[in-house]
């Protein structure tokens, strides 16, 4: 969480949270931060987030945007304590403080009883969904940059029950409260692979997991053995969230188990939270999927951010790890990712997640 602390020309101190992203600053009514000053353009500048990094870009405003008293010509990475000057306004970039965090936790605790009542009412439906295996799968293509051919598909679990959350992340969060997140995750994988093995050409099938499953290794490996036996002609790749990769002993054990099943490993959402090359080198995966927040609008991002991403891409490839740019939405993003050296691409530019009967 980030916010701007400002001192206006009349010395009135105030602050504003930088959310949502992109965070637009200007005089227009629809700006996230509306500033009244004739020297400020209607849409003056924007702040975006890439992974854990913030950057600011000027919209070719009349009077410019200044970071630490210097006019920015291109996008500029921001750091805590930087000063941003726009018209008569001056801001200091700061991160959320402990008091704000405590307040958020108190608010959350007040809402828990209502959440628990909702969960209790929905638990029977979720249990029935698991028992009846009432889920289906969508498939999003993964392409190789060198020849733009589809090499595989990521399997994304879906449900049709209108009473339950349609967002898989929300549904898995709910399942975790009830104590059946691992069962739901395994069901999504198994149903998805059972359908996906019918895709033409026996493509790579990328399957997802939850961080909790890494701590239930035996149960996870049993589930993976089932999908391996189900689709012997397909290469299976298990995706795990980067946040679950901090224990190198667990990662080594997982790699050993996957090796026996001839299943590859992918670190998902890379660039958010950890991003430490030391851990990557100790137990390298087969694929490294860079988080879409790093890829979004990357063609407009600062050169320093390009250099950072390029460094990670090259370091991964030196370890024999294939790199995937996730969340590509436009040709400009794709061109930049290709220039930065990514091996593979994924995103709605190449295809939205679709059921198997809608895939050409």
């Amino acid at each position: 969480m980030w916010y701007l602390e400002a001192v206006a020309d009349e010395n009135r101190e105030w602050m504003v949270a930088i959310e949502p992203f992109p965070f637009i600053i200007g005089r227009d009514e629809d700006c996230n931060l509306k500033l009244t000053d004739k020297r400020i353009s209607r849409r003056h500048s924007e702040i975006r987030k890439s992974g854990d990094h913030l950057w600011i870009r000027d919209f070719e405003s009349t009077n410019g945007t200044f970071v630490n008293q210097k006019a920015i010509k291109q996008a500029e990475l921001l750091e805590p304590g930087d000063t941003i000057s726009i018209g008569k306004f001056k801001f200091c970039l700061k991160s959320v403080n402990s008091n704000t965090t405590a307040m958020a936790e108190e608010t959350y605790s007040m809402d828990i009883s209502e959440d628990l009542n909702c969960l209790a009412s929905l638990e029977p439906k979720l249990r029935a969904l698991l028992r009846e295996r009432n889920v289906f799968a969508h498939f999003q293509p993964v392409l190789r940059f060198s020849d733009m051919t589809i090499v595989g598909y990521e399997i994304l679990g879906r449900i049709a029950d209108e009473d339950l959350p349609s967002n898989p992340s929300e549904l898995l969060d709910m399942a975790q409260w009830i104590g059946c997140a691992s069962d739901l995750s395994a069901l999504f994988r198994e149903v998805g692979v059972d359908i996906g093995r019918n895709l033409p050409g026996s493509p790579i099938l990328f399957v997802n997991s939850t961080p909790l499953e890494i701590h239930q290794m035996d149960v996870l490996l049993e589930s993976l053995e089932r999908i391996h036996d189900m689709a012997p002609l397909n290469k299976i790749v298990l995706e795990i969230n980067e946040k679950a990769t901090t224990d190198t002993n667990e990662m080594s054990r997982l790699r050993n188990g996957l090796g026996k099943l001839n299943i590859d490993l992918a670190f998902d959402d890379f660039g958010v939270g950890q991003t430490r090359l030391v851990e990557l080198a100790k137990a390298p995966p087969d694929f490294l999927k860079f988080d879409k927040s790093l890829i979004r609008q990357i063609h407009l991002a600062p050169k320093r951010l390009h250099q950072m991403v390029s460094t990670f891409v090259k370091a991964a490839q030196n370890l024999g790890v294939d790199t995937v740019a996730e969340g590509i939405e436009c040709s400009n993003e794709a061109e930049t990712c290709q220039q930065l050296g990514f091996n593979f691409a994924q995103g709605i530019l190449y295809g939205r997640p679709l059921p198997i009967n809608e895939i050409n």
Side-chain angles (χ1 to χ4, degrees), residues 31-325:
C31 289
N32 301 101
L33 176 57
K34 180 186 175 185
L35 300 174
T36 305
D37 181 359
K38 62 182 180 180
R39 291 170 291 179
I40 296 176
S41 300
R42 293 187 180 278
R43 291 173 67 84
H44 196 98
S45 56
E46 67 172 354
I47 297 176
R48 286 184 174 268
K49 187 176 183 183
S50 296
D52 290 333
H53 303 273
L54 295 188
W55 52 275
I56 188 168
R57 180 170 70 99
D58 185 82
F59 286 137
E60 298 183 356
S61 62
T62 303
N63 295 295
T65 301
F66 297 79
V67 175
N68 299 328
Q69 291 75 54
K70 293 183 180 179
I72 60 173
K73 296 180 180 180
Q74 298 178 329
E76 186 80 19
L77 276 178
L78 295 172
E79 297 180 1
D82 281 350
T83 58
I84 301 170
S85 301
I86 300 174
K88 69 179 181 181
F89 296 93
K90 185 176 181 179
F91 305 90
C92 181
L93 179 68
K94 295 190 175 181
S95 60
V96 69
N97 59 33
S98 58
N99 291 334
T100 306
T101 303
M103 185 183 302
E105 290 173 351
E106 291 169 8
T107 303
Y108 179 73
S109 65
M110 292 173 62
D111 295 333
I112 282 180
S113 59
E114 182 178 346
D115 290 340
L116 288 176
N117 289 333
C118 179
L119 287 169
S121 66
L122 293 177
E123 181 175 356
K125 282 187 169 291
L126 181 55
R127 297 283 185 188
L129 178 144
L130 290 169
R131 185 173 57 253
E132 297 165 8
R133 302 178 66 83
N134 191 20
V135 303
F136 59 99
H138 282 182
F139 302 86
Q140 186 171 38
V142 177
L143 290 84
R144 184 168 46 224
F145 263 129
S146 61
D147 56 11
M148 299 311 296
T149 59
I150 295 175
V151 298
Y153 291 86
E154 180 176 352
I155 296 174
L156 301 162
R158 297 288 188 265
I159 66 168
D161 192 322
E162 295 182 355
D163 293 327
L164 292 170
S166 59
N167 184 301
S169 296
E170 293 178 11
L171 185 66
L172 283 164
D173 286 342
M174 188 180 87
Q176 185 164 339
W177 274 83
I178 295 171
C180 57
S182 296
D183 295 331
L184 179 60
S185 180
L187 180 60
F188 278 145
R189 281 194 301 270
E190 292 168 21
V191 170
V193 169
D194 192 30
I195 299 170
R197 63 180 175 172
N198 297 307
L199 286 162
S202 301
I204 301 171
L205 298 177
F206 291 81
V207 298
N208 288 286
S209 64
T210 66
L212 181 65
E213 289 180 284
I214 306 303
H215 305 296
Q216 300 172 339
M217 191 77 68
D218 293 337
V219 177
L220 174 60
L221 291 174
E222 287 176 6
S223 166
L224 295 174
E225 185 174 5
R226 288 194 293 272
I227 64 174
H228 169 266
D229 294 342
M230 191 183 298
L233 298 180
N234 296 85
K235 167 61 72 175
I236 306 293
V237 180
L238 175 70
E239 296 191 20
I240 63 173
N241 190 281
E242 186 196 19
K243 296 177 182 178
T245 66
T246 55
D247 190 324
T248 53
N249 290 328
E250 280 191 336
M251 285 302 99
S252 296
R253 184 183 171 207
L254 178 61
R255 286 307 305 256
N256 290 335
L258 294 178
K260 294 176 182 177
L261 296 171
N262 195 28
I263 291 177
D264 283 354
L265 178 65
F267 288 174
D268 193 20
D269 301 328
F270 187 78
V272 180
Q274 301 297 325
T275 317
R276 291 193 293 266
L277 288 175
V278 174
E279 281 82 355
L280 184 65
K282 287 181 179 177
D286 300 286
F287 294 87
L288 194 61
K289 302 187 78 173
F290 282 64
D291 188 73
K292 61 185 179 181
S293 65
L294 277 172
I295 305 303
R296 192 67 43 81
Q297 298 286 290
I298 194 169
H299 59 292
L300 300 175
K303 295 301 180 185
R304 285 169 57 200
L305 183 65
H306 288 186
Q307 292 167 357
M308 181 195 73
V309 172
S310 178
T311 297
F312 281 124
V313 168
K314 290 177 181 176
Q317 292 170 350
N318 287 339
L319 293 168
V321 179
D322 283 319
T323 53
V324 184

